[in-house]
Amino acid sequence: MLRFLLMRIACAIPVLAILSVVTFAISQAPPGNYADYIRLQLINQGGASFAEADAQAKAYSVEHGLDKPVPLQYLNWIGGIITRGDFGHSLYYNKPVADVVGERLPRTLLLALVCHLLASVLGIGFGIWAATRQYSWIDSTLSAISFLGMTVPRFLMALIIVYLLVFQFNVSEIGSFFSPQFGGAPWSWAKFVDLVRHVWPVVAIATFGGLAYNMRVMRGNLLDTLNAQYVETARAKGLSGGAVVMRHAVPNALHPLVMYQGVVLPYMLTGEIETAIIFALPTVGPAIVGSMAVGDVYVTATFMMVLSATLIVGNIIADMLLVMLDPRVRQYAGS
């Protein structure tokens, strides 16, 4: 098992190197940079002439190395990460990029993990429930719910909920994790309840899509597994229906869902990002959009690199779960 894990980590290193090049190139793709944003702000808000604003923008560009070729900027950025753990300096936030990421990434990951756990538990449970009651009203209702969850865009659900909260229920505290009285207060049950009141729309929307996929896949796989010969043999031996389903059918039907864990974390992160942008929560989503809008290249590249790395980490976790679940894969991994 350890040898298999080390091999997967070793294979991930060159993939991360390629992803770093791709993400930095994508972050540099939009025209202009932060110096252009400074020039625009000096003209529109500072009242400076174009010549004065252009001179200050060029001086800023030279000072921060924005005038250098893109390959050289990439080498400086990746060299700082490898040698010093330095992801660069955020031009817009005027602080190290590591601080910007450290402020927003833990919240985003925590929300994504909560959504993932809810989507997995509820989706797998509903999938088993629907498969064991095929063609009943329960199966039809759950299938309709899964269809809606996989087809309705998450940003549209977020817009609808924002409209209902703001214009129908007069909710004014949109765009924060806590009410003002709980902002700097120590953790308590009241603060936790206040947090749930603020983040439940994001959790509900991101969970809904993952739940629908898990339920649909689990139902289809379990129906196929229930018709397998070894399941019929287990029934013929006199095992109860619950034992046949839970001990023999469900573990084998879980294999595709275990492999899905390799992409579920990035999926949940993007779901959280989409809804967080609509609700203006201080997480990764608004930071990525804001940094791309002003040309804060190091923040954009670092966040995109982190999101790409979650896909690799997710695939490694999925491989390890599959090794533990399936003896055949464990035998192959040990060979």
Side-chain angles (χ1 to χ4, degrees):
M1 183 75 75
L2 180 60
R3 178 172 172 268
F4 178 72
L5 176 61
L6 294 176
M7 288 178 57
R8 295 292 287 112
I9 294 175
C11 293
I13 294 175
V15 177
L16 278 174
I18 296 173
L19 285 175
S20 68
V21 176
V22 174
T23 54
F24 195 83
I26 292 175
S27 64
Q28 292 277 9
N33 54 32
Y34 193 73
D36 297 310
Y37 172 76
I38 289 179
R39 182 188 300 110
L40 187 63
Q41 291 296 103
L42 289 172
I43 295 174
N44 293 339
Q45 298 184 9
S49 64
F50 178 81
E52 294 173 342
D54 187 61
Q56 293 189 44
K58 288 181 177 179
Y60 186 91
S61 181
V62 172
E63 180 183 356
H64 291 84
L66 301 179
D67 60 326
K68 297 178 180 178
V70 173
L72 185 56
Q73 292 185 45
Y74 166 77
L75 292 176
N76 292 334
W77 176 64
I78 200 67
I81 295 175
I82 295 174
T83 59
R84 304 185 303 276
D86 181 12
F87 291 86
H89 191 82
S90 171
L91 307 176
Y92 179 73
Y93 295 99
N94 195 25
K95 64 174 69 172
V97 174
D99 293 346
V100 179
V101 175
E103 291 172 359
R104 294 173 177 263
L105 186 61
R107 307 168 184 169
T108 307
L109 288 176
L110 185 58
L111 281 176
L113 288 174
V114 170
C115 296
H116 169 50
L117 292 175
L118 291 175
S120 298
V121 173
L122 296 177
I124 292 173
F126 287 152
I128 296 173
W129 195 20
T132 53
R133 291 160 178 80
Q134 189 180 16
Y135 303 132
S136 66
W137 68 269
I138 294 175
D139 184 26
S140 300
T141 302
L142 293 176
S143 296
I145 292 173
S146 68
F147 176 77
L148 289 175
M150 296 181 66
T151 54
V152 178
R154 287 169 294 199
F155 74 87
L156 179 59
M157 290 189 284
L159 288 173
I160 293 173
I161 291 180
V162 167
Y163 171 79
L164 293 175
L165 290 176
V166 174
F167 295 101
Q168 300 300 321
F169 297 100
N170 298 320
V171 176
S172 58
E173 295 177 354
I174 299 291
S176 62
F177 282 99
F178 300 102
S179 300
Q181 65 269 27
F182 292 105
W187 277 104
S188 62
W189 177 252
K191 184 173 183 178
F192 175 76
V193 172
D194 185 69
L195 173 64
V196 173
R197 285 180 51 245
H198 283 78
V199 303
W200 73 262
V202 176
V203 174
I205 294 169
T207 299
F208 190 39
L211 179 152
Y213 181 88
N214 285 325
M215 180 167 56
R216 191 175 185 87
V217 172
M218 188 65 195
R219 177 187 179 276
N221 291 337
L222 188 55
L223 286 175
D224 291 339
T225 306
L226 288 173
N227 294 322
Q229 186 174 2
Y230 67 89
V231 175
E232 296 295 334
T233 302
R235 291 193 179 113
K237 289 181 178 180
L239 293 178
S240 64
V244 170
V245 172
M246 300 308 297
R247 289 173 54 187
H248 295 275
V250 169
N252 288 283
L254 282 173
H255 286 192
L257 283 176
V258 171
M259 293 306 301
Y260 172 62
Q261 306 310 305
V263 297
V264 70
L265 185 55
Y267 177 82
M268 287 299 173
L269 281 172
T270 55
E272 185 279 331
I273 287 172
E274 290 178 19
T275 52
I277 290 173
I278 302 297
F279 284 91
L281 286 177
T283 56
V284 167
I288 293 177
V289 175
S291 62
M292 292 184 68
V294 301
D296 196 353
V297 59
Y298 298 119
V299 172
T300 305
T302 300
F303 273 126
M304 293 177 66
M305 185 69 179
V306 169
L307 294 180
S308 302
T310 59
L311 180 60
I312 297 175
V313 173
N315 276 287
I316 294 176
I317 294 174
D319 289 342
M320 300 304 297
L321 290 175
L322 194 60
V323 166
M324 291 187 291
L325 181 66
D326 194 334
R328 296 168 297 180
V329 180
R330 187 158 56 245
Q331 182 179 3
Y332 172 78
S335 62

